[in-house]
Amino acid sequence: MKISNTKKKRWIQGIHLFLWAILLAAPNLKAQFVYEERENFANDVVRMCIEAYGGEIDSASLSFTFRDKLYKGIFESGNYEMSRQFNKDDSLYLDRLSNSGFVRTVNSQSVELSERWVKAYSNSINSVFYFVMLPFKLQDEAVILSYFGKQKTKNGEYFLVKVSFKQEGGGEDHQDEFRYWVNSKTYLLDFFAYSYDTDGGGVRFRAVEKRHQSDSGHIFQDYINYKANVGIAMDSLLYIYDSGKLIELSKIRLENLQFESIK
């Protein structure tokens, strides 16, 4: 059957319109694909980082000494008890934070505290354990991960991951923001930074000073803690650190660290 010139012309015009529609849509499709890839890639980076540190922690016990206080934690399938013990004025203090709430005892006697101090002591214990248990805590349900690309410095090449938190389950400081620099070759967490609003707010940057490896193969870290100006772009902190312009505040060192998986 012979196709008329008029039909052939219309057919060719239709093909052209179809191809133009694909070309016009392609940038949007590509942008959407890249966005989804970036979002998923943040999860991939965190998963690989946790594997580099010994794998996920579900049920385990952890103890260490930090700034003259003995910390102990037991974590078992969503249940937890975190405690700190220290001496003050010839008395033995024991603070315990669990799924049931916070309790303080002094010389084995329970002490009543105002809501303000219960909140303050609970946040303090939770904060210490959170930082000690990085990067394992980056898979908590309240965590929101975003991939911010690669950064190359004299220390190597890093994946930059932003962490924010859902209000539900994100704790009292759910508005805080974090940045994590994960080495693109080793998947080790060499640096991280965070901004916070409590006590007037601030920005901190931490660089790994030492790594502790437990018998199970899980790794925990000591850090050097630096101060940065409020309002500074957190994504630029690794470059500022490289230039030597951050102010050292303190050292975060763990002593007598013991970790054991509970089977």
Side-chain angles (χ1 to χ4, degrees), residues 240-256:
I240 298 173
Y241 167 78
D242 276 350
S243 69
K245 295 181 179 179
L246 292 180
I247 302 170
E248 182 178 332
L249 286 180
S250 60
K251 289 182 170 60
I252 312 298
R253 290 174 173 169
L254 309 176
E255 299 175 351
N256 305 315

Side-chain angles (χ1 to χ4, degrees), residues 251-263:
K251 289 182 170 60
I252 312 298
R253 290 174 173 169
L254 309 176
E255 299 175 351
N256 305 315
L257 188 141
Q258 298 290 328
F259 174 84
E260 184 179 357
S261 294
I262 300 174
K263 297 181 181 181

